Amino acid sequence: MPPQRLLRSFVFLWLVTGIALLYGSIQTAREAFQRGEHLNPHLVLLGSVEALAAILFLVPRTMRAGAVGLLATIFVAFSVHAALHEFRADLLLYGAVVLFIMIHGSLTREQFRAVI
């Protein structure tokens, strides 16, 4: 079993990433609604899908499905920004972290016990 500090660091990275992406996706959807006359349904949809994926990502049993959803929404967001000639390094970083966590997978029960 990996050292307890490593397990705690992994869980911290997982939670912070999931919470940050959930917060960001809610902000995206909310800002799309607040634009009044210029409501952008694509942003509302993207933010909503990303929020659902972030929630799934935070639950150990559905973490991989949530990660796939997050990677898909991050890819879409990165592509749209790239088409607008905007480089979003933060989206690349989020994608790399989500991919790492997805490949690693959830912790076993023994590992969760060791973290607590």
Side-chain angles (χ1 to χ4, degrees), residues 18-112:
I19 292 168
L21 287 169
L22 177 61
Y23 177 79
S25 61
I26 291 170
Q27 287 295 104
T28 297
R30 195 170 80 189
E31 287 174 11
F33 270 120
Q34 290 178 345
R35 291 190 181 167
E37 306 174 355
H38 304 295
L39 174 67
N40 188 338
H42 299 102
L43 279 179
V44 174
L45 180 63
L46 184 66
S48 300
V49 169
E50 187 178 27
L52 177 60
I55 291 168
L56 292 174
F57 181 72
L58 289 167
V59 178
R61 288 183 182 230
T62 59
M63 184 260 293
R64 285 202 168 132
V68 169
L70 285 173
L71 289 172
T73 57
I74 290 169
F75 175 76
V76 168
F78 185 82
S79 299
V80 169
H81 283 284
L84 297 171
H85 305 289
E86 298 171 354
F87 179 69
R88 293 284 307 270
D90 60 323
L91 295 175
L92 288 177
L93 182 61
Y94 278 127
V97 173
V98 169
L99 182 62
F100 169 75
I101 294 169
M102 181 179 84
I103 290 170
H104 182 280
S106 183
L107 300 182
T108 64
R109 285 186 178 163
E110 291 176 9
Q111 291 171 331
F112 271 119

Side-chain angles (χ1 to χ4, degrees), residues 1-24:
M1 180 181 308
Q4 187 181 34
R5 288 187 336 197
L6 184 61
L7 293 173
R8 285 185 177 164
S9 297
F10 175 78
V11 170
F12 181 72
L13 179 65
W14 181 6
L15 291 175
V16 167
T17 302
I19 292 168
L21 287 169
L22 177 61
Y23 177 79

